[in-house]
Amino acid sequence: NEIRVFSPATVANVNCGFDVLGFALDGLGDEMVLRKVPQKGITITRIEGADLPYEAKENVVGVAGLAMIEALDLDFGFEIEIYKNIRLGSGVGSSAASAAGIVFGINQFLEKPLTNLELTAFGMKGEAVASGNEHADNVAPCIYGGFTLITGYEPLKIVSLPVPEELYVTIIHPHITIKTKEARAILPKEVSLQNAIKQTGNLAGLIAGLYEADYELIGNSTQDFLVEPYRKNLIPDFDFYKVTALKNGGLAFGISGSGPSMFTLSKGKENAGNVELALKEALKTKNMESDSYVSPV
Ligand code: HSE
């Protein structure tokens, strides 16, 4: 009568795929315990690791869970314990992990009547509470695992992409705050045709690189012409960290989601570890406190 769910951290955008591309981290994530109870709705009984509201309607977990309970017209409810390991606002999909975890967990109780696509749509409702916008580039990889591409929002369409075996990610989280809503508000509403062409080429190149397990192509295809030029100003010394990561074995470097975490893709664990050491040192020289994480993709 009890289910424990692991809900991974995720990197959204991956530079060239703003709002459409994302991948899950293997190892870092939140945990949630669900218990089926006769009373309807969601009752949050415990939250550890973050200061979040217990009131279901104000909590991402509650909002996503209630949306699903209502849509499926369930005549029972759930008690939830939430153990947050992903730091709030760190840029690796903390709210998405909450939203995805609850809908995935409820689905397990119901013996999986819903598809991953349907679960992602419910998860997006919760994500919208936190970020002010319904996007699925964190929720989708959290539910599907691996790399996911959203090929359409209306209607929602998602493709799972292959992940080359030796692809690793290094996450470095500088201890500054960036709000997703604000990081979206600074972006221009229009882009130039020239930049759209470059971005399209990169996104296609990255996807081809994933299918071919071509690490060089992956590394050459993640430049971001649309978002990074604006958002990097929110992270002091971003360019210095980028140069450091790429010089120390990284294939690609960028802002994870809306930041402030930054991700580096590397071939193999050793390179990913070298990048981690170099970046930690680089942040130290700028007196920036941080925490970091290395994981297979
Ligand atoms: N695609 C989103 C953004 C992810 O970059 O704003 C952050 O939640």
Side-chain angles (χ1 to χ4, degrees):
N1 207 27
E2 179 178 296
I3 280 178
R4 187 173 281 268
V5 176
F6 174 78
S7 200
T10 46
V11 170
N13 300 337
V14 204
N15 290 359
C16 53
F18 182 67
D19 275 358
V20 298
L21 199 59
F23 63 79
L25 270 68
D26 191 356
L28 177 63
D30 293 346
E31 278 177 58
M32 225 176 267
V33 176
L34 285 78
R35 256 173 243 108
K36 195 171 149 187
V37 290
Q39 66 269 29
K40 279 190 182 188
I42 297 279
T43 313
I44 300 169
T45 56
R46 188 168 180 176
I47 303 175
E48 275 183 24
D51 190 11
L52 289 166
Y54 277 76
E55 179 58 49
K57 286 194 174 112
E58 289 166 24
N59 186 300
V60 170
V61 169
V63 172
L66 288 171
M68 187 159 163
I69 288 173
E70 221 165 86
L72 296 180
D73 202 16
L74 303 183
D75 60 359
F76 50 87
F78 297 92
E79 258 177 26
I80 317 288
E81 294 172 14
I82 304 167
Y83 300 91
K84 293 294 294 179
N85 297 312
I86 310 171
R87 290 188 193 218
L88 295 184
S90 61
V92 286
S94 183
S95 52
S98 292
I102 182 73
V103 297
F104 185 87
I106 293 177
N107 204 40
Q108 294 293 316
F109 260 113
L110 305 176
E111 287 166 9
K112 301 197 240 174
L114 297 191
T115 62
N116 283 344
L117 185 70
E118 290 166 324
L119 292 178
T120 304
F122 282 118
M124 283 169 70
K125 303 269 175 238
E127 170 77 307
V129 174
S131 71
N133 173 277
E134 279 197 20
H135 51 267
D137 50 343
N138 289 108
V139 176
C142 195
I143 287 176
Y144 287 71
F147 248 99
T148 54
L149 175 71
I150 295 144
T151 58
Y153 272 100
E154 285 173 11
L156 187 64
K157 282 190 277 180
I158 297 168
V159 177
S160 267
L161 302 172
V163 182
E165 225 166 86
E166 292 177 88
L167 197 62
Y168 272 75
V169 64
T170 306
I171 300 291
I172 188 113
H173 170 216
H175 293 173
I176 54 173
T177 309
I178 296 177
K179 294 222 155 74
T180 299
K181 271 180 209 171
E182 288 160 23
R184 295 184 79 86
I186 61 166
L187 301 177
K189 298 279 172 284
E190 314 277 333
V191 301
S192 74
L193 181 59
Q194 214 176 23
N195 281 339
I197 291 168
K198 289 195 255 183
Q199 195 89 354
T200 312
N202 268 334
L203 180 55
L206 175 55
I207 291 164
L210 292 174
Y211 273 95
E212 302 276 319
D214 183 338
Y215 294 91
E216 208 183 315
L217 182 57
I218 292 169
N220 288 333
S221 303
T222 58
Q223 241 183 306
D224 175 11
F225 297 92
L226 305 183
V227 175
E228 185 182 291
Y230 302 93
R231 284 192 173 169
K232 72 176 185 178
N233 302 318
L234 302 174
I235 304 172
D237 304 301
F238 176 84
D239 286 327
F240 170 57
Y241 302 141
K242 185 175 196 166
V243 170
T244 303
L246 298 180
K247 244 200 224 159
N248 284 277
L251 296 167
F253 177 88
I255 304 168
S256 174
S258 57
S261 284
M262 294 165 274
F263 75 94
T264 310
L265 291 176
S266 302
K267 182 180 180 186
K269 197 175 180 177
E270 199 183 324
N271 282 327
N274 290 340
V275 166
E276 184 184 30
L277 286 178
L279 282 175
K280 272 168 121 169
E281 203 46 49
L283 272 87
K284 232 192 245 166
T285 64
K286 300 290 180 188
N287 290 319
M288 178 67 86
E289 287 200 20
S290 67
D291 55 278
S292 59
Y293 196 82
V294 170
S295 160
V297 174

